[in-house]
Amino acid sequence: MTRKRVSFKLFCVNPKIILKNISIKQPVSIGVPVKKGELKDTSGLSLVKGSKNYPAQFKALSCWPDKSIKWLLVDFIADQEGTYEITKASSKTNEIVPHIPKIPYKINIIGKKGHTISFKPDKFSFVEHGPVKWVFLRENQIVSRKQDVVLNIFEYLTFYPLLNCYRLDITIRNPRRAKHKGGYWDLGDPGSIYLKDFSLIFEIPKEKFLIKTEPTNAPVKAKKFSLYQESSGGENWLSRNHVNRLGEVPIRMRGFLFAYDDNETYGLRANPVIRSENFSLAVKEFWQNFPKVISYDGTFLRVGLFPEEFPDLHEIQGGEQKTHTIFFAEQDLDFTWVNDLPNIYLDPDYIKQTCAIFCFLPSEELPSLYKEMIESAVAGPTSFFAKREIIDEFGWRNFGDIYADHENVFNKGKKPIISHYNNQYDLIYSCLVQFLSSASEDWFILADALARHVYDIDIYHTNEDKPAYNNGLFWHTFHYVDAYRSTHRCYSKDAGIVGGGPSNEHLYSSGLLLHYFLTGDPRSKEAVISFAEHVIDMDKPYKIFAWFDKTPSGLATQTRDPWYHGPGRGAGNSINCLLDAFLLTHEKRYLLKAEEFIRRSIHPEDNQDELGLLNPEERWSYTVFLQVLGKYLLLKKEWEEFDFMFSYARAGLIHYARWMAEKEYFYLDKPELLEYPTETWAAQEIRKAEVFNLAAYFTNNNEEKELFRAKAKYFYEISLKRLLSFPTWHYTRPLAIILQSGFSYPWFKQARPEKWPEKKYNFGKPQVFIPQKIKIKRFLSLKWVIRANKRSI
């Protein structure tokens, strides 16, 4: 596929948008970071190319502490190659007053019993409007007891007045909970909803359409046609990845069938564009999100999002949703760009100067060995793109996720194992940082598809289950065990692995936050906020015990064990979600809750030996917590809040780094302590390097600073070197880890030394947090002992 180039520059450092290989008018949208204090609001902004002024729409997505704009979303219509520049010179743009449009399509839903379900829209509202786009939201709640269907439908309809075309992002959600009886999350759960068909219907009588099944194919003219994509068309199109609730793969056909007038042809992967004198349409990622149908019977044009042509019912699991994107116009318009969008990138040097992303550096300033290693994620036979084909990671439920190929190593079942990564260690964030750092579009393509998969499939969109699960994020597939019928929900009865459900140890919000800043996608924004609320809700006391004790449940800060609330990834991930929500909304309650968790989890006088931190199998993830603690300190620095909590966290970080400098070792040097001494342990060492770099950055002691830097250098270099000694170094999990924790190393080498305030605070003594359930169990146990003793007397 031919890739198009776009780059960006702005204001005093003169960033630009450069478009190449563009010959068709199309909407362009990109989030741009802005240096603190430079832009107070969007008034007076213009987009120019040479001497020509372009209508543009500007929207502030987030602000700095001084209320100046931090991330700015820019929308415009590109029409040719060249350099586009944002200026502060005022411009006169005749803004069209928006009006509620007539929706030119109807939604047709057929339940599992074969009957059409009728409904009326509940709510219609404006979301945004300007000279480039108007955004409307229509919300529908559908309840059909006869068909056993409960659905929420969200339609974001974007109208581009300058192109006279529409973009529809339609989300279909099952808001019911899964029953997950016995701790299993398989397809066929009583909370699932089954559809025979879900289609959009456009009434367009007596048209002749030109249909291009693929961009390189010649168009076909037809009065009637049907294009049906049943499978991915790839080599492994019949993969076990596509099992249904019965454990069967219902797919019958490789690729697509195109029937028009009296002709039939077959193909592999369709990304169709259809055009007539009065109507045009394209579906984003048509084959990737199979099954799909576009058909026309001479009167009605149908877009089957869950088409009845598929030889099975479509199961939407409890708390699952899917978003489909369709472009259409009531005129002849060439939509070939829908699946071949230009590469939009920002000048990495400019991004570095804005300081809008913690520890960001352009790719050219990263170590050469590190760059070579991470490049394998987007290029070559071991890339994440190539890995998709191994288990056919396609179809509406799977597309965007990353194949967890590392799980094959100790898998004793069929190979290749069916295993899903589900954004473990926040690959979305890592890929977006590399996209901005390298200006390589492949990173964005990966991250964008993964973000959309995560907010649709991996998040548990329900309020009907327990707080520990509602709106949480599902784990990656269980280690070394096939997913079977659990899809992306980890625990399958077929595997005999009991338990599961969303958990604080698998919560990653930073990638979704950056995705929102770069795209303005409202679903990513909603996910970031919902994660923070999920963390707060799960920490509330159990209602059933609140009459007796109102201690927090502790579910948000435990790691591995309900009694352990020291530093670990459980508390670290919860804190990180709260910090991201604060960065997005500036709501102080998120920051205060994060600080509560910090005090609960560490103390500047902790005895680390008593916490068992040198037991790698149990406590390796304490470094995850310390990395998040460093992010908290960087955030406090950004807000210039050098208060008690800054001093507490800073003292805690340095206290732990001192202990690490004395006690920590390379885990693989003691393989007898590891259940599986794999390449992943080599990758995890890179986290220690980041912790030492953070401690070096935040200490005022020059001698200590040099010690920490030396330790950071040692763990960084040995992590990469030992990882490369494994032939499996390019597996998904180790790559994800070094992507997440490796890019900050050269930033700290360049960072200017700071002098931090040394205020004298009384931090008290370490306190052990006891969650509500354990408190009650101890009380009841003690009460039972007292009664037993009385009886014996």
Side-chain angles (χ1 to χ4, degrees), residues 61 79 86 228 242 382 389 515 603 631 644 720 770:
L61 298 179
D79 64 355
I86 295 178
Y228 168 50
H242 307 305
T382 62
E389 302 287 347
H515 185 255
H603 188 278
K631 175 176 174 175
F644 171 88
L720 298 183
I770 303 174

Side-chain angles (χ1 to χ4, degrees), residues 512-668:
L512 291 166
L513 179 64
L514 188 52
H515 185 255
Y516 170 65
F517 289 157
L518 285 170
T519 66
D521 190 327
R523 285 158 291 270
S524 289
K525 177 182 179 181
E526 291 161 10
V528 173
I529 294 172
S530 73
F531 281 174
E533 295 297 333
H534 167 66
V535 165
I536 292 170
D537 288 343
M538 81 164 86
D539 196 56
K540 290 177 180 177
Y542 291 99
K543 289 182 181 179
I544 193 171
F545 302 128
W547 62 272
F548 177 77
D549 185 276
K550 294 185 179 180
T551 302
S553 71
L555 291 173
T557 52
Q558 69 182 38
T559 300
R560 289 186 69 92
D561 306 297
W563 51 265
Y564 181 81
H565 296 268
R569 66 175 175 178
N573 288 346
S574 292
I575 292 167
N576 189 66
C577 287
L578 293 164
L579 297 181
D580 285 338
F582 174 73
L583 285 168
L584 178 61
T585 66
H586 290 190
E587 289 189 30
K588 200 75 173 178
R589 63 190 180 96
Y590 294 128
L591 187 62
L592 292 174
K593 191 66 177 178
E595 291 174 342
E596 176 188 334
F597 287 169
I598 289 170
R599 292 192 301 274
R600 180 188 301 178
S601 304
I602 67 158
H603 188 278
E605 295 180 17
D606 277 341
N607 185 324
Q608 293 94 339
D609 294 329
E610 290 181 355
L611 293 173
L613 300 188
L614 288 179
N615 181 344
E617 288 288 351
E618 295 291 322
R619 298 289 171 246
W620 69 266
S621 74
Y622 82 88
T623 54
V624 174
F625 180 93
L626 296 178
Q627 287 175 294
V628 174
L629 191 65
K631 175 176 174 175
Y632 167 77
L633 289 169
L634 290 169
L635 184 152
K636 294 286 278 188
K637 172 182 178 287
E638 182 174 290
W639 280 72
E640 298 180 2
E641 290 185 356
F642 303 113
D643 54 11
F644 171 88
M645 275 309 302
F646 176 85
S647 297
Y648 183 98
R650 177 175 165 269
L653 174 67
I654 295 169
H655 175 66
Y656 272 78
R658 288 171 184 152
W659 175 86
M660 289 174 65
E662 180 184 354
K663 299 288 186 70
E664 266 299 359
Y665 65 96
F666 193 80
Y667 288 144
L668 285 170

Side-chain angles (χ1 to χ4, degrees), residues 17-30:
I17 305 176
I18 301 171
L19 286 86
K20 294 183 179 179
N21 302 322
I22 289 182
S23 57
I24 303 171
K25 278 189 176 182
Q26 57 190 273
V28 171
S29 184
I30 180 67

